[in-house]
Amino acid sequence: MNDNEQLQHWIDRVDTELVRYFADKDMTCNPLDRAMEYTLLAGGKRLRPLLTMVVVAEYGGDPEAAIPFALASEFLHTYSLIHDDLPCMDDDDMRRGKPTNHIIFGEANAILAGDALHSESFLLLSGAPHPSLSAEKRNQVMVEFCQAVGKRGMVAGQIMDLAQTGKDTSLEHLELLHQRKTGALLRFCVRLGAHLAEVSESDLNALTQFAEKLGLLFQVVDDLLDEESDSATLGKTSGKDAGQDKATFPKIMGSDEAHDYADKLLDEALAALKAVSRPLEYLEEIVRYVRHRDH
């Protein structure tokens, strides 16, 4: 994906605005702020904000106006990473090629940093100005964000994941788990871009189908990378899923079948894009990247 100069430009804009968010508010002097920005500014794919900006741009809108909204998803995603890495959750000591937040700042500060990032994400979404976002549409965005984050989304997926550790599960249950834990926020990010771009209802439906396939694809590839790659490449501890006896797609299906399933999800995501009223070349490039990424 980084070979595409325009996509890389948007990723760089996200990084710049994340740094500025802290600098403008003089948020560099206390332990909470340092813990928040430690993980947030440690890098990452910036896939979630990129999806929002790309959808806006593909429909002729201004991706710059979407940046504050796009940042909210990265704040929320980073909160989830900090909490996922805690000893009481996935108990990991490396993230984005660096020691995890609680290793550096302690568990209490890591929990509070995640809590603060969670709150800031809602502040961004509720207060960011936009030239065409009505109060009614902003309320819809906030409702969808809440659904993606809480007991119908990421949090539900995380508790399902914890409950399934060390147990047998079905493919259907694993798909539901990751539709919530991983897919719900990715789905929101695509739909957020669609709302900001004021797309038609038929295009919104097709983009939603695309996002749902993308979310599952991301997780299948993530499971495969955990099994097949190394820690240095991933920037996090490889082999953790097997070590913790987690329910994964390769565990349930076998590695070859999981690769086939990933290819099928890619085809289905691309087919969903074909149902949209215009070519969406950047989204096509992103979903192909997700299938073939190495970290």
Side-chain angles (χ1 to χ4, degrees):
M1 185 163 59
N2 291 352
D3 291 338
N4 186 303
E5 291 185 2
Q6 183 58 72
L7 290 176
Q8 187 58 49
H9 169 71
W10 287 325
I11 292 169
D12 292 343
R13 286 291 298 119
V14 169
D15 284 334
T16 297
E17 292 304 316
L18 288 172
V19 171
R20 181 174 295 161
Y21 189 90
F22 284 89
D24 286 352
K25 298 178 183 304
D26 192 24
M27 297 172 68
T28 59
C29 298
N30 66 65
L32 176 62
D33 301 327
R34 290 200 303 272
M36 290 169 67
E37 62 182 351
Y38 172 78
T39 305
L40 187 66
L41 304 183
K45 304 172 190 65
R46 309 305 189 203
L47 176 62
R48 290 151 188 84
L50 181 63
L51 284 168
T52 297
M53 296 174 70
V54 162
V55 172
V56 170
E58 299 258 46
Y59 280 86
D62 180 9
E64 288 291 314
I67 287 178
F69 297 88
L71 294 186
S73 63
E74 192 66 18
F75 273 54
L76 198 285
H77 174 56
T78 304
Y79 128 77
S80 73
L81 298 181
I82 292 173
H83 282 195
D84 281 358
D85 289 335
L86 290 167
C88 62
M89 296 285 185
D90 289 348
D91 191 16
D92 214 335
D93 58 6
M94 187 166 71
R95 172 72 67 177
R96 293 175 172 171
K98 300 172 65 175
T100 46
N101 200 286
H102 67 273
I103 296 295
I104 299 297
F105 298 98
E107 289 184 41
N109 282 346
I111 291 169
L112 293 171
D115 291 345
L117 287 165
H118 180 279
S119 298
E120 289 293 302
S121 69
F122 281 86
L123 181 63
L124 279 164
L125 271 186
S126 63
H130 192 271
S132 63
L133 192 66
S134 66
E136 181 181 4
K137 183 63 71 172
R138 187 186 295 271
N139 182 66
Q140 182 179 349
V141 165
M142 296 303 299
V143 168
E144 291 188 16
F145 193 50
C146 292
Q147 291 172 336
V149 172
K151 63 178 288 185
R152 298 170 182 83
M154 288 174 56
V155 174
Q158 176 67 1
I159 202 164
M160 289 173 69
D161 192 21
L162 292 172
Q164 287 304 128
T165 298
K167 299 178 182 178
D168 293 332
T169 191
S170 66
L171 177 60
E172 293 75 14
H173 188 80
L174 188 62
E175 287 175 332
L176 177 60
L177 187 166
H178 288 300
Q179 284 166 355
R180 293 174 173 176
K181 183 178 179 180
T182 303
L185 185 58
L186 290 169
R187 180 181 187 271
F188 167 79
C189 292
V190 171
R191 286 179 60 88
L192 172 60
H195 290 318
L196 295 175
E198 300 181 279
V199 309
S200 68
E201 192 67 25
S202 61
D203 274 17
L204 178 61
N205 291 336
L207 286 167
T208 300
Q209 292 177 26
F210 161 78
E212 290 169 352
K213 301 302 181 182
L214 174 68
L216 272 180
L217 173 62
F218 188 94
Q219 187 60 50
V220 174
V221 173
D222 212 54
D223 287 356
L224 286 164
L225 287 173
D226 183 78
E227 183 177 273
E228 299 173 355
S229 190
D230 58 84
S231 298
T233 302
L234 293 177
K236 59 183 180 179
T237 307
S238 64
K240 286 280 291 184
D241 292 340
Q244 295 179 340
D245 199 18
K246 289 262 188 180
T248 69
F249 288 97
K251 179 182 176 182
I252 290 176
M253 308 173 74
S255 294
D256 290 344
E257 290 80 2
H259 276 288
D260 291 342
Y261 185 44
D263 291 336
K264 177 176 179 287
L265 289 168
L266 172 61
D267 290 343
E268 291 173 347
L270 292 172
L273 289 182
K274 297 301 182 186
V276 178
S277 63
R278 63 181 65 202
L280 300 177
E281 295 178 0
Y282 289 129
L283 286 182
E284 286 191 18
E285 182 167 349
I286 287 171
V287 72
R288 292 184 191 278
Y289 158 78
V290 167
R291 171 62 187 100
H292 300 293
R293 65 192 176 96
D294 61 2
H295 66 283

